[in-house]
Amino acid sequence: MNKKTTVNWAILGAGKIAKKFATDLTVVTNAQKYAVASRSFDKATSFSKEFGFEKSYGSYEEMVKDPHVDAVYIAVPHTHHATATKLCLEHGKAVLCEKPFAMHANEVEEMISIAQSKKVLLMEAMWTYFLPHYQYVLNFLKNETFGSIKSLEADFGFVAELDPSSRLLNKSLGGGGLLDIGIYPIFAALSILGMPKKINATAQFFETGADSVCEMNFQYNNDIVAKLKSTLLEKTATEATIVCENGTVLLNSRFHEPSTVTLKSNDGTTETLDFDYTTIGYNFEVAHFGSLLLEGATESPIMNFELSRKLIQLLDTVRSEIGLQYDI
Ligand SMILES: NC(=O)c1ccc[n+]([C@@H]2O[C@H](COP(=O)([O-])OP(=O)(O)OC[C@H]3O[C@@H](n4cnc5c(N)ncnc54)[C@H](OP(=O)(O)O)[C@@H]3O)[C@@H](O)[C@H]2O)c1
């Protein structure tokens, strides 16, 4: 029998991010746009038509029963990540689940445990990690080309629409800046510096109780500090700056998506690297995930379970520092 060379993708939740993801699926050679599942059949059908998927389902439950679905991209609000992921895993579907992986560490553990017992591939869709400019910086810092790291600063901010029912403000959908965008500066600190020894954080809140601004200090050995911020009240640079002994590395705006990198040496030379991106940037994680699935892998060697566990642990710790609680 010929070895399978493409993955039949299904999208679960036909919302905003699903559209961007579907656009980038087109360029991935090991990906087939197969199915769309929505709570509304009409919505699924119009999404399928717009983006060229073969099948449309009016419920998530129906879609997971389709034997031709290989992998599911979970694109629903954070509060629904764990339930949707478990539904897919129980039906033997590989899962690429949007960030944050789930609402808290217990949910993440449960998802990982099901994936492991079912021997099904599961990965958090931390797309930034797979972007070439981001990987370039990680390697540059690992090689200590500018010497050791002294400090890191990263932010993510934009002005959110003040609609209390929206996903960003509604706590019953996991609303708040920390889980939605604060995760990116936190991931920058985690992927570059590892786990901090101490965390301090302060926050401001909307009337809904969702966090509007969150400022965090991660402290590491050798007096290294990462200063991180998320805000839904102002547009910020959305950059990451890493100061090293002999120079500064800048992940330029917006650092979490396809962007450029500037290397400023302390001897006065400055170089900006352009990575010639031609997509929104989701194709890199999709290609990686597809290769893993076709090889029969059940965990990514890059965005692995250990890293997802650390990421949710950091989010949980910051939440506890700022007193942010959800019902779930
Ligand atoms: N990686 C990235 O760059 C990126 C960017 C933005 C968002 N995200 C993540 O992707 C996830 C979805 O974000 P989004 O902006 O696409 O959200 P969204 O458009 O507000 O909602 C996504 C979809 O979730 C489904 N859904 C299921 N239960 C729902 C409920 N109770 N209320 C509302 N919608 C529900 C709906 O799909 P149906 O009606 O079709 O069932 C909805 O269209 C979030 O976890 C977010 O963190 C990632």
Side-chain angles (χ1 to χ4, degrees), residues 204-253:
Q204 295 170 43
F205 296 90
F206 291 113
E207 275 176 19
T208 60
D211 60 295
S212 53
V213 182
C214 183
E215 296 189 78
M216 302 157 266
N217 268 298
F218 285 12
Q219 288 163 40
Y220 297 84
N221 289 332
N222 303 325
D223 295 328
I224 298 169
V225 174
K227 213 173 144 218
L228 315 172
K229 177 174 178 172
S230 61
T231 172
L232 296 173
L233 299 183
E234 67 173 315
K235 187 173 186 307
T236 65
T238 308
E239 290 169 345
T241 307
I242 304 105
V243 177
C244 304
E245 283 170 308
N246 307 316
T248 299
V249 178
L250 286 144
L251 280 150
N252 294 314
S253 184

Short mmCIF file of all heavy atoms in Angstrom, two decimals, residues 204-253:
data_model
loop_
_atom_site.label_atom_id
_atom_site.label_comp_id
_atom_site.label_asym_id
_atom_site.label_seq_id
_atom_site.Cartn_x
_atom_site.Cartn_y
_atom_site.Cartn_z
N GLN A 204 -4.90 45.43 35.87
CA GLN A 204 -6.13 46.23 35.93
C GLN A 204 -7.21 45.38 35.29
O GLN A 204 -6.90 44.50 34.47
CB GLN A 204 -5.97 47.52 35.13
CG GLN A 204 -4.92 48.48 35.66
CD GLN A 204 -4.65 49.59 34.66
OE1 GLN A 204 -5.56 50.14 34.06
NE2 GLN A 204 -3.37 49.90 34.45
N PHE A 205 -8.46 45.69 35.63
CA PHE A 205 -9.56 44.83 35.16
C PHE A 205 -10.69 45.64 34.53
O PHE A 205 -10.93 46.79 34.92
CB PHE A 205 -10.12 44.02 36.34
CG PHE A 205 -9.10 43.07 36.92
CD1 PHE A 205 -8.26 43.48 37.95
CD2 PHE A 205 -8.97 41.79 36.42
CE1 PHE A 205 -7.30 42.62 38.47
CE2 PHE A 205 -8.01 40.92 36.94
CZ PHE A 205 -7.18 41.34 37.96
N PHE A 206 -11.38 45.02 33.59
CA PHE A 206 -12.62 45.58 33.04
C PHE A 206 -13.73 45.33 34.06
O PHE A 206 -13.57 44.52 34.99
CB PHE A 206 -13.01 44.87 31.74
CG PHE A 206 -12.09 45.14 30.59
CD1 PHE A 206 -11.29 44.12 30.06
CD2 PHE A 206 -12.05 46.39 29.99
CE1 PHE A 206 -10.46 44.35 28.98
CE2 PHE A 206 -11.22 46.63 28.89
CZ PHE A 206 -10.42 45.62 28.40
N GLU A 207 -14.89 45.98 33.83
CA GLU A 207 -16.03 45.74 34.73
C GLU A 207 -16.48 44.29 34.70
O GLU A 207 -17.07 43.79 35.66
CB GLU A 207 -17.20 46.65 34.34
CG GLU A 207 -17.08 48.02 34.96
CD GLU A 207 -18.17 48.98 34.52
OE1 GLU A 207 -19.21 48.50 34.02
OE2 GLU A 207 -17.95 50.19 34.66
N THR A 208 -16.21 43.59 33.62
CA THR A 208 -16.60 42.18 33.51
C THR A 208 -15.73 41.28 34.40
O THR A 208 -16.02 40.10 34.56
CB THR A 208 -16.43 41.67 32.06
OG1 THR A 208 -15.05 41.82 31.70
CG2 THR A 208 -17.31 42.40 31.07
N GLY A 209 -14.62 41.84 34.92
CA GLY A 209 -13.70 41.04 35.72
C GLY A 209 -12.54 40.48 34.91
O GLY A 209 -11.60 39.91 35.46
N ALA A 210 -12.62 40.64 33.58
CA ALA A 210 -11.50 40.19 32.73
C ALA A 210 -10.36 41.21 32.85
O ALA A 210 -10.62 42.40 32.99
CB ALA A 210 -11.97 40.10 31.29
N ASP A 211 -9.11 40.72 32.78
CA ASP A 211 -7.98 41.64 32.93
C ASP A 211 -7.78 42.47 31.67
O ASP A 211 -7.78 41.96 30.56
CB ASP A 211 -6.69 40.87 33.27
CG ASP A 211 -6.31 39.89 32.20
OD1 ASP A 211 -7.08 38.91 31.99
OD2 ASP A 211 -5.27 40.09 31.54
N SER A 212 -7.61 43.79 31.87
CA SER A 212 -7.37 44.69 30.74
C SER A 212 -5.87 44.90 30.54
O SER A 212 -5.38 44.96 29.42
CB SER A 212 -8.07 46.03 30.97
OG SER A 212 -7.71 46.56 32.23
N VAL A 213 -5.15 45.04 31.65
CA VAL A 213 -3.70 45.26 31.60
C VAL A 213 -3.04 44.30 32.59
O VAL A 213 -3.55 44.12 33.70
CB VAL A 213 -3.33 46.71 32.01
CG1 VAL A 213 -1.83 46.94 31.91
CG2 VAL A 213 -4.09 47.73 31.20
N CYS A 214 -1.93 43.72 32.18
CA CYS A 214 -1.20 42.86 33.12
C CYS A 214 0.30 43.12 32.93
O CYS A 214 0.81 43.03 31.82
CB CYS A 214 -1.54 41.40 32.86
SG CYS A 214 -0.74 40.28 34.04
N GLU A 215 0.96 43.50 34.02
CA GLU A 215 2.40 43.75 33.97
C GLU A 215 3.10 42.73 34.84
O GLU A 215 2.71 42.52 36.00
CB GLU A 215 2.69 45.17 34.43
CG GLU A 215 2.05 46.16 33.47
CD GLU A 215 2.46 47.60 33.73
OE1 GLU A 215 3.59 47.96 33.34
OE2 GLU A 215 1.65 48.31 34.32
N MET A 216 4.09 42.10 34.25
CA MET A 216 4.74 40.97 34.93
C MET A 216 6.26 41.15 34.98
O MET A 216 6.84 41.64 34.02
CB MET A 216 4.45 39.67 34.16
CG MET A 216 2.98 39.37 34.02
SD MET A 216 2.64 38.29 32.60
CE MET A 216 2.24 39.49 31.32
N ASN A 217 6.84 40.71 36.09
CA ASN A 217 8.30 40.65 36.22
C ASN A 217 8.67 39.22 36.51
O ASN A 217 8.25 38.66 37.52
CB ASN A 217 8.77 41.50 37.39
CG ASN A 217 9.10 42.90 36.94
OD1 ASN A 217 10.01 43.10 36.13
ND2 ASN A 217 8.36 43.86 37.44
N PHE A 218 9.44 38.62 35.62
CA PHE A 218 9.95 37.26 35.85
C PHE A 218 11.41 37.40 36.27
O PHE A 218 12.20 38.01 35.55
CB PHE A 218 9.87 36.41 34.57
CG PHE A 218 8.49 35.94 34.19
CD1 PHE A 218 7.35 36.45 34.79
CD2 PHE A 218 8.34 34.96 33.21
CE1 PHE A 218 6.08 36.01 34.42
CE2 PHE A 218 7.08 34.51 32.85
CZ PHE A 218 5.95 35.03 33.45
N GLN A 219 11.74 36.82 37.42
CA GLN A 219 13.13 36.92 37.88
C GLN A 219 13.85 35.59 37.73
O GLN A 219 13.31 34.54 38.07
CB GLN A 219 13.14 37.35 39.34
CG GLN A 219 12.74 38.80 39.50
CD GLN A 219 12.37 39.12 40.94
OE1 GLN A 219 13.01 38.64 41.85
NE2 GLN A 219 11.32 39.90 41.10
N TYR A 220 15.08 35.70 37.25
CA TYR A 220 15.92 34.51 37.00
C TYR A 220 17.21 34.64 37.80
O TYR A 220 17.48 35.69 38.39
CB TYR A 220 16.24 34.41 35.50
CG TYR A 220 15.03 34.22 34.63
CD1 TYR A 220 14.27 35.33 34.23
CD2 TYR A 220 14.61 32.96 34.22
CE1 TYR A 220 13.14 35.17 33.43
CE2 TYR A 220 13.49 32.79 33.42
CZ TYR A 220 12.76 33.90 33.04
OH TYR A 220 11.64 33.74 32.26
N ASN A 221 18.00 33.59 37.73
CA ASN A 221 19.32 33.66 38.38
C ASN A 221 20.16 34.74 37.73
O ASN A 221 19.85 35.21 36.63
CB ASN A 221 20.03 32.31 38.26
CG ASN A 221 19.34 31.27 39.15
OD1 ASN A 221 18.75 31.62 40.17
ND2 ASN A 221 19.41 30.02 38.75
N ASN A 222 21.24 35.13 38.39
CA ASN A 222 22.19 36.15 37.89
C ASN A 222 21.53 37.50 37.64
O ASN A 222 21.91 38.24 36.74
CB ASN A 222 22.88 35.68 36.60
CG ASN A 222 23.59 34.37 36.79
OD1 ASN A 222 24.14 34.12 37.87
ND2 ASN A 222 23.57 33.52 35.78
N ASP A 223 20.48 37.79 38.44
CA ASP A 223 19.78 39.08 38.35
C ASP A 223 19.16 39.37 36.99
O ASP A 223 18.91 40.53 36.64
CB ASP A 223 20.73 40.25 38.73
CG ASP A 223 21.17 40.17 40.17
OD1 ASP A 223 20.37 39.68 40.99
OD2 ASP A 223 22.31 40.57 40.46
N ILE A 224 18.92 38.34 36.22
CA ILE A 224 18.25 38.56 34.93
C ILE A 224 16.75 38.73 35.18
O ILE A 224 16.15 37.96 35.94
CB ILE A 224 18.49 37.37 33.97
CG1 ILE A 224 19.98 37.22 33.68
CG2 ILE A 224 17.70 37.53 32.68
CD1 ILE A 224 20.35 35.93 32.98
N VAL A 225 16.19 39.77 34.56
CA VAL A 225 14.76 40.03 34.73
C VAL A 225 14.09 40.11 33.36
O VAL A 225 14.64 40.68 32.42
CB VAL A 225 14.52 41.36 35.49
CG1 VAL A 225 13.04 41.71 35.53
CG2 VAL A 225 15.07 41.27 36.91
N ALA A 226 12.90 39.52 33.25
CA ALA A 226 12.08 39.69 32.05
C ALA A 226 10.89 40.56 32.44
O ALA A 226 10.16 40.24 33.38
CB ALA A 226 11.61 38.34 31.53
N LYS A 227 10.75 41.67 31.72
CA LYS A 227 9.65 42.61 32.00
C LYS A 227 8.61 42.41 30.89
O LYS A 227 8.92 42.64 29.71
CB LYS A 227 10.21 44.04 31.97
CG LYS A 227 9.56 44.97 32.90
CD LYS A 227 10.31 46.29 32.93
CE LYS A 227 9.26 47.38 33.11
NZ LYS A 227 9.50 48.58 32.38
N LEU A 228 7.43 41.97 31.27
CA LEU A 228 6.43 41.57 30.28
C LEU A 228 5.13 42.33 30.49
O LEU A 228 4.80 42.69 31.62
CB LEU A 228 6.16 40.06 30.40
CG LEU A 228 7.40 39.16 30.54
CD1 LEU A 228 6.98 37.72 30.84
CD2 LEU A 228 8.24 39.20 29.27
N LYS A 229 4.40 42.55 29.39
CA LYS A 229 3.15 43.30 29.54
C LYS A 229 2.14 42.89 28.49
O LYS A 229 2.49 42.66 27.33
CB LYS A 229 3.44 44.80 29.40
CG LYS A 229 2.20 45.67 29.46
CD LYS A 229 2.56 47.15 29.47
CE LYS A 229 1.28 47.99 29.49
NZ LYS A 229 1.53 49.41 29.67
N SER A 230 0.87 42.82 28.91
CA SER A 230 -0.21 42.71 27.93
C SER A 230 -1.22 43.79 28.25
O SER A 230 -1.45 44.11 29.42
CB SER A 230 -0.87 41.34 27.98
OG SER A 230 -1.43 41.09 29.24
N THR A 231 -1.81 44.37 27.22
CA THR A 231 -2.85 45.36 27.44
C THR A 231 -3.87 45.36 26.31
O THR A 231 -3.51 45.23 25.15
CB THR A 231 -2.27 46.80 27.63
OG1 THR A 231 -3.38 47.72 27.65
CG2 THR A 231 -1.30 47.20 26.55
N LEU A 232 -5.13 45.50 26.72
CA LEU A 232 -6.22 45.61 25.74
C LEU A 232 -6.71 47.06 25.69
O LEU A 232 -7.74 47.35 25.10
CB LEU A 232 -7.38 44.68 26.13
CG LEU A 232 -7.06 43.17 26.10
CD1 LEU A 232 -8.21 42.35 26.67
CD2 LEU A 232 -6.76 42.72 24.67
N LEU A 233 -5.94 47.98 26.32
CA LEU A 233 -6.35 49.38 26.39
C LEU A 233 -5.53 50.30 25.50
O LEU A 233 -5.90 51.44 25.27
CB LEU A 233 -6.24 49.90 27.83
CG LEU A 233 -7.09 49.19 28.89
CD1 LEU A 233 -6.90 49.87 30.24
CD2 LEU A 233 -8.55 49.20 28.50
N GLU A 234 -4.39 49.84 25.01
CA GLU A 234 -3.57 50.70 24.14
C GLU A 234 -2.77 49.86 23.16
O GLU A 234 -2.45 48.70 23.43
CB GLU A 234 -2.61 51.57 24.97
CG GLU A 234 -1.57 50.78 25.66
CD GLU A 234 -0.49 51.58 26.38
OE1 GLU A 234 0.06 52.55 25.83
OE2 GLU A 234 -0.16 51.17 27.50
N LYS A 235 -2.47 50.51 22.02
CA LYS A 235 -1.64 49.83 21.03
C LYS A 235 -0.19 50.01 21.48
O LYS A 235 0.25 51.15 21.67
CB LYS A 235 -1.87 50.48 19.66
CG LYS A 235 -1.20 49.75 18.52
CD LYS A 235 -1.65 50.39 17.20
CE LYS A 235 -1.15 49.65 15.98
NZ LYS A 235 0.27 49.43 15.92
N THR A 236 0.50 48.95 21.71
CA THR A 236 1.90 49.06 22.12
C THR A 236 2.79 48.54 20.98
O THR A 236 2.30 48.00 19.99
CB THR A 236 2.18 48.25 23.40
OG1 THR A 236 1.99 46.86 23.10
CG2 THR A 236 1.27 48.66 24.54
N ALA A 237 4.07 48.67 21.17
CA ALA A 237 5.02 48.29 20.11
C ALA A 237 4.89 46.80 19.74
O ALA A 237 5.06 46.41 18.60
CB ALA A 237 6.44 48.58 20.56
N THR A 238 4.57 45.99 20.73
CA THR A 238 4.48 44.53 20.52
C THR A 238 5.80 44.00 19.94
O THR A 238 5.86 43.41 18.86
CB THR A 238 3.22 44.16 19.69
OG1 THR A 238 2.08 44.77 20.31
CG2 THR A 238 2.99 42.67 19.62
N GLU A 239 6.85 44.31 20.70
CA GLU A 239 8.21 43.90 20.33
C GLU A 239 8.79 43.06 21.47
O GLU A 239 8.31 43.13 22.59
CB GLU A 239 9.13 45.13 20.22
CG GLU A 239 8.86 46.01 19.06
CD GLU A 239 9.63 47.33 19.17
OE1 GLU A 239 10.13 47.68 20.26
OE2 GLU A 239 9.68 48.02 18.15
N ALA A 240 9.88 42.38 21.15
CA ALA A 240 10.65 41.73 22.21
C ALA A 240 12.10 42.20 22.05
O ALA A 240 12.65 42.17 20.94
CB ALA A 240 10.55 40.23 22.12
N THR A 241 12.66 42.66 23.16
CA THR A 241 14.03 43.18 23.15
C THR A 241 14.87 42.34 24.11
O THR A 241 14.52 42.24 25.29
CB THR A 241 14.04 44.65 23.62
OG1 THR A 241 13.11 45.37 22.84
CG2 THR A 241 15.42 45.28 23.52
N ILE A 242 15.95 41.80 23.59
CA ILE A 242 16.80 40.98 24.44
C ILE A 242 18.18 41.64 24.50
O ILE A 242 18.87 41.74 23.48
CB ILE A 242 16.90 39.53 23.91
CG1 ILE A 242 15.50 38.93 23.78
CG2 ILE A 242 17.74 38.67 24.86
CD1 ILE A 242 15.00 38.84 22.38
N VAL A 243 18.52 42.12 25.69
CA VAL A 243 19.81 42.79 25.85
C VAL A 243 20.84 41.76 26.29
O VAL A 243 20.63 41.03 27.27
CB VAL A 243 19.72 43.95 26.89
CG1 VAL A 243 21.08 44.60 27.11
CG2 VAL A 243 18.69 44.98 26.43
N CYS A 244 21.93 41.69 25.52
CA CYS A 244 23.02 40.76 25.85
C CYS A 244 24.27 41.55 26.21
O CYS A 244 24.29 42.78 26.08
CB CYS A 244 23.31 39.86 24.65
SG CYS A 244 21.89 38.97 24.04
N GLU A 245 25.31 40.85 26.64
CA GLU A 245 26.56 41.53 27.05
C GLU A 245 27.12 42.44 25.97
O GLU A 245 27.55 43.56 26.23
CB GLU A 245 27.63 40.47 27.35
CG GLU A 245 27.47 39.75 28.65
CD GLU A 245 28.44 38.59 28.71
OE1 GLU A 245 28.44 37.77 27.76
OE2 GLU A 245 29.19 38.51 29.70
N ASN A 246 27.09 41.94 24.71
CA ASN A 246 27.76 42.68 23.62
C ASN A 246 26.84 43.20 22.54
O ASN A 246 27.28 43.53 21.45
CB ASN A 246 28.82 41.78 22.96
CG ASN A 246 29.76 41.21 23.99
OD1 ASN A 246 30.22 41.93 24.88
ND2 ASN A 246 30.02 39.91 23.90
N GLY A 247 25.54 43.24 22.83
CA GLY A 247 24.62 43.73 21.82
C GLY A 247 23.18 43.46 22.20
O GLY A 247 22.90 42.85 23.23
N THR A 248 22.28 43.95 21.34
CA THR A 248 20.85 43.81 21.62
C THR A 248 20.16 43.16 20.42
O THR A 248 20.44 43.50 19.27
CB THR A 248 20.23 45.21 21.87
OG1 THR A 248 20.88 45.76 23.02
CG2 THR A 248 18.74 45.14 22.13
N VAL A 249 19.27 42.23 20.73
CA VAL A 249 18.50 41.55 19.67
C VAL A 249 17.05 42.03 19.77
O VAL A 249 16.44 41.98 20.84
CB VAL A 249 18.55 40.01 19.89
CG1 VAL A 249 17.71 39.30 18.83
CG2 VAL A 249 19.98 39.51 19.89
N LEU A 250 16.53 42.51 18.64
CA LEU A 250 15.14 42.99 18.64
C LEU A 250 14.28 42.14 17.73
O LEU A 250 14.57 42.00 16.54
CB LEU A 250 15.10 44.43 18.10
CG LEU A 250 15.62 45.50 19.03
CD1 LEU A 250 16.34 46.57 18.25
CD2 LEU A 250 14.46 46.11 19.78
N LEU A 251 13.25 41.55 18.34
CA LEU A 251 12.22 40.90 17.53
C LEU A 251 11.23 42.03 17.26
O LEU A 251 10.51 42.48 18.16
CB LEU A 251 11.55 39.78 18.32
CG LEU A 251 12.31 38.45 18.39
CD1 LEU A 251 12.01 37.71 19.68
CD2 LEU A 251 11.95 37.58 17.20
N ASN A 252 11.24 42.53 16.02
CA ASN A 252 10.48 43.75 15.73
C ASN A 252 8.98 43.51 15.69
O ASN A 252 8.51 42.38 15.61
CB ASN A 252 10.98 44.35 14.40
CG ASN A 252 12.42 44.82 14.53
OD1 ASN A 252 12.77 45.48 15.51
ND2 ASN A 252 13.26 44.45 13.59
N SER A 253 8.25 44.61 15.66
CA SER A 253 6.79 44.59 15.74
C SER A 253 6.17 43.93 14.51
O SER A 253 6.64 44.19 13.40
CB SER A 253 6.31 46.03 15.83
OG SER A 253 4.94 46.08 16.00
#
